Amino acid sequence: MAFTLELGSKAPDFSLCATDGNSYSLNDFADAKVLVIFFTCNHCPYVIGSDEVTRQTAEKYMPEGVKFVAINSNSPNTYEEDSYEHMVERMQEKKFPWTYLHDRTQEVAKTYGALRTPHFFVFDQERKLVYCGRGVDNPKDTDKMTDNDLDNALADVTAGRDVRKPLTNPIGCNVKWEGKDAHWMPADACDLI
């Protein structure tokens, strides 16, 4: 079995605490026509570099019934900036248009097979995975990006078309696993294409 969820897979459930202090599960987003779940964090330069483009994409597709859910699975023992307290501060400062969840045990990251920050998973109305991978092709410096694969995928799925490029490799820092070196990746983690 692949480390990362394969296309067509159903979205795994979760129960995680958000920066607003409430707990959320997959069912809390049942009204979304399309659900974007992405693994992110507070410190990564690829996240920081592309957050505003992700915001623009989220806001562009909100009227189409698309919801975004961000999950931070990074160990704060690797980067203290990735702690829950810093998540709360970041949301208060940035006011992102998504729910920001804390995967303290890293179980959700393992279930989805999150590889990097950011790593996007797009699920259709039946919660089947229709896109997995990067947001843009140059997340560290979006002034130099030439492709917004997330935007393209959402344009396709909201129009009822097959996603033109359903799989890309996420670009970013690897997930910071508890008790492991900052650059460690699970043995079965691999490129998606």
Side-chain angles (χ1 to χ4, degrees), residues 32-187:
K33 287 185 185 163
V34 177
L35 187 64
V36 179
I37 294 176
F38 68 106
F39 290 83
T40 186
C41 65
N42 301 325
H43 87 277
C44 172
Y46 297 89
V47 168
I48 293 166
S50 60
D51 263 342
E52 289 308 314
V53 171
T54 304
R55 180 199 301 272
Q56 290 162 12
T57 305
E59 290 173 345
K60 176 179 176 181
Y61 289 98
M62 273 175 165
E64 307 277 341
V66 178
K67 285 194 175 176
F68 277 59
V69 176
I71 300 175
N72 176 14
S73 300
N74 277 4
S75 168
N77 294 321
T78 308
Y79 282 94
E80 198 267 331
E81 306 99 288
D82 288 332
S83 70
Y84 176 75
E85 293 71 27
H86 284 95
M87 290 172 60
V88 172
E89 287 171 16
R90 193 148 196 269
M91 280 300 275
Q92 286 170 344
E93 177 194 342
K94 300 289 187 180
K95 297 183 175 31
F96 290 123
W98 49 72
T99 305
Y100 194 11
L101 305 174
H102 187 217
D103 179 20
R104 188 181 50 77
T105 66
Q106 302 187 311
E107 284 305 313
V108 178
K110 289 176 190 158
T111 304
Y112 278 74
L115 296 169
R116 304 197 172 274
T117 54
H119 187 168
F120 294 86
F121 295 78
V122 177
F123 297 93
D124 66 12
Q125 196 147 16
E126 282 77 48
R127 295 300 175 259
K128 285 190 180 156
L129 184 63
V130 295
Y131 175 79
C132 181
R134 67 191 187 189
V136 299
D137 64 345
N138 198 333
K140 210 171 185 180
D141 184 0
T142 52
D143 288 341
K144 295 178 181 168
M145 75 178 189
T146 55
D147 287 314
N148 186 332
D149 294 286
L150 178 62
D151 186 285
N152 291 340
L154 291 173
D156 289 339
V157 74
T158 55
R161 300 187 298 261
D162 287 340
V163 176
R164 65 193 93 166
K165 193 184 339 176
L167 209 55
T168 59
N169 287 317
I171 301 170
C173 301
N174 59 296
V175 172
K176 305 307 177 196
W177 299 98
E178 180 65 36
K180 301 291 185 183
D181 173 85
H183 299 288
W184 182 86
M185 295 280 274

